[in-house]
Amino acid sequence: MSRAKTNSAASKSRCSPPTSAPEEIFRMENLMFVYHSCKVIWTLLVTIPGYASSLPVGDDSICTAEELAKYSIIFTGKWSQTAFPKQYPLYRPPAQWSSMLGVTHSSDYSMWKKNEYASNGVRDFAEKGEAWVLMKEIEEAGEKIQSVHGIFSAAAISSGTGQTSTELEVHSRHPLVSFVVRIVPSPDWFVGIDSLNLCEGDHWMEEVSVDLFPYDAGTDSGFTFSSPNFATIPQETVTEITCSSPSHPANSFYYPKLKILPPIAHVTMVKLKKNQLGLPVPYLNLPAKSNEVIDSVSETPLDCEVSQWSSWGLCRGLCRETGTKIRTRFVLLHPANNGMPCPNLDEETGCEPENCV
C-alpha cells in the first residue's frame, strides 16, 4: 500500500444573513443536475473532436495505471476555538464550512493556483459561496475535464469542526484533483487542493492525506472573519495566510508567537476497491445529530492585548500636600489557552495639586 502525506500545497461575515447548510446543499444539487443534463454534449466533446487536443501534458502524461480509479474523499474541519481562539466566530454566523466543489483534470487545467489571480468563479465562491460562475468556468474548459464524472461536490458543514465526504473518479489521462471549500464567515478565505496527482507511474495511490491551511483569494481586503465587504482594487494574487502574514495585529489568524498555524482542515482520499464502489467509507463515523469531530488538538495560546494608556487624570489631594492622579487602559483581547494574562488596567502616581491658593 502506498501512502502519501503532505502538510500544505492545498492549503469576511457579510451584512446579509448566511446561506444555511440545507439551502446550500439544495443549490449545489440543482447546479449538479443542470451540469449532468449536458452529459451527451460533454461526451461528444471529449471523445470525438477533442480527443487529440485533450491529451494531457506534464507530469500526468506518464500515468500508465489502469484507466479509471474511484476514491472516497473525506474532508475534516479542524477549525475549533481551542486551536484558533482569536476572534473565533460564535454567532451571526458561527464558524462553519461551505460545500466542497472539485474536479479531476489534466495538467492543462487549473481551478486555482497560489501566487496567481483567482478567476471570477473562484472569487464568487470564496467571497459568497456561490458556485454557478465557477461551474460555468469548468464547463468552458471543455475537453480539459475528464467528463461529467470529473466534477464532485460534498455537503456543507454547519460548524467549524466536522466531516463531509463524497466520491470522485480519476482517469489515467486526468489524474489530478483540485477543490475549494470556503471558510464561513470570512472576507474571501478558503482552503483547498491545487492539482494533486493521484497517479504514481503504473499505479494509483491507495491513500493520500493532506493538511489544509487558509488561503486569501486576493479579492477582498478584510482582515477579520466578520469584516464588511471591501473589494481589493486592483485585485491581488492568491496567497497563503500564515500566523505572521498578513502582518497586522487585527488579522484573525495573526499569532506572532507561533512558527506555523495548526492545520485548519484535513482531507483524506482513499482508493475504493471494486467491491467497495457505491458503499459508504467504513471508518467514516459521523454522529447522528451533529457533525462534530472529537479530535485532539494542541491549544493555541492567546495573549491578552490591551489599549494604550489614557491621559493622566486630574491631580486630587489637599493643597501643599502630595496628591494622586490616575490613568487607565482597557482590554482589547482577553487571553485564552494559558496565554499571557492581562496587566494592570490602571496606574497611579504622585502629583502636586493645581489651582491651590
Side-chain angles (χ1 to χ4, degrees):
M1 175 183 292
S2 63
R3 231 176 149 79
K5 184 169 184 179
T6 61
N7 282 326
S8 185
S11 8
K12 285 176 188 143
S13 154
R14 307 296 177 208
C15 296
S16 57
T19 304
S20 65
E23 290 174 342
E24 191 162 1
I25 295 170
F26 178 75
R27 181 171 61 189
M28 184 64 72
E29 288 177 345
N30 284 342
L31 288 172
M32 294 303 290
F33 175 78
V34 171
Y35 195 82
H36 274 269
S37 67
C38 300
K39 183 175 182 179
V40 174
I41 298 175
W42 274 94
T43 303
L44 290 174
L45 282 172
V46 174
T47 59
I48 303 176
Y51 179 79
S53 61
S54 68
L55 290 176
V57 295
D59 292 343
D60 53 344
S61 61
I62 61 173
C63 180
T64 58
E66 58 181 344
E67 280 197 351
L68 295 175
K70 203 161 189 176
Y71 285 80
S72 172
I73 178 169
I74 304 134
F75 177 90
T76 303
K78 306 180 78 171
W79 184 19
S80 68
Q81 192 170 9
T82 301
F84 299 91
K86 187 174 183 180
Q87 303 166 2
Y88 188 80
L90 296 174
Y91 55 89
R92 297 184 182 179
Q96 57 190 275
W97 298 95
S98 77
S99 56
M100 173 194 291
L101 180 60
V103 290
T104 57
H105 58 92
S106 58
S107 61
D108 54 356
Y109 171 80
S110 175
M111 174 181 270
W112 68 275
K113 194 171 291 292
K114 182 179 178 180
N115 297 327
E116 294 189 6
Y117 292 104
S119 67
N120 290 336
V122 171
R123 177 200 63 200
D124 286 357
F125 193 88
E127 289 189 10
K128 298 174 284 189
E130 296 177 358
W132 180 254
V133 176
L134 184 53
M135 290 285 289
K136 291 293 289 183
E137 290 174 354
I138 295 171
E139 179 182 350
E140 290 169 2
E143 69 275 6
K144 295 178 184 178
I145 303 300
Q146 168 196 320
S147 70
V148 69
H149 298 294
I151 299 176
F152 57 91
S153 65
I157 302 174
S158 60
S159 61
T161 58
Q163 284 186 337
T164 187
S165 65
T166 188
E167 292 182 358
L168 61 88
E169 188 175 75
V170 286
H171 189 278
S172 59
R173 290 183 289 111
H174 302 82
L176 308 182
V177 176
S178 297
F179 72 79
V180 287
V181 181
R182 181 182 179 236
I183 298 173
V184 183
S186 75
D188 59 343
W189 303 341
F190 69 96
V191 298
I193 281 180
D194 166 38
S195 304
L196 176 65
N197 195 341
L198 295 180
C199 182
E200 287 188 321
D202 61 355
H203 66 279
W204 298 103
M205 294 184 182
E206 293 294 331
E207 183 173 336
V208 182
S209 293
V210 182
D211 284 329
L212 304 178
F213 299 89
Y215 279 86
D216 188 322
T219 61
D220 194 295
S221 296
F223 270 125
T224 68
F225 296 120
S226 57
S227 292
N229 188 25
F230 185 57
T232 302
I233 301 175
Q235 180 178 337
E236 298 178 354
T237 59
V238 175
T239 56
E240 183 176 354
I241 301 172
T242 71
C243 56
S244 59
S245 179
S247 182
H248 195 291
N251 191 297
S252 294
F253 287 111
Y254 186 70
Y255 296 95
K257 290 191 174 181
L258 296 182
K259 292 183 178 180
I260 186 173
L261 284 175
I264 196 170
H266 184 85
V267 67
T268 299
M269 283 167 273
V270 182
K271 186 174 180 290
L272 298 177
K273 294 178 171 54
K274 292 184 178 180
N275 61 356
Q276 288 180 303
L277 298 183
L279 297 177
V281 183
Y283 59 81
L284 182 61
N285 183 22
L286 301 182
K289 296 184 179 181
S290 171
N291 269 35
E292 290 293 322
V293 174
I294 300 174
D295 192 10
S296 58
V297 295
S298 58
E299 293 186 346
T300 299
L302 186 65
D303 295 342
C304 177
E305 294 181 10
V306 296
S307 67
Q308 297 294 320
W309 286 110
S310 67
S311 300
W312 287 104
L314 294 174
C315 184
R316 300 182 181 277
L318 299 176
C319 289
R320 293 179 293 278
E321 294 183 9
T322 301
T324 59
K325 59 182 179 181
I326 297 174
R327 64 178 181 175
T328 62
R329 55 188 174 184
F330 57 89
V331 175
L332 296 172
L333 187 66
H334 289 278
N337 303 331
N338 297 314
M340 185 179 296
C342 294
N344 291 332
L345 300 179
D346 53 64
E347 186 176 61
E348 183 178 297
T349 189
C351 60
E352 292 294 331
E354 299 176 359
N355 300 322
C356 282
V357 177

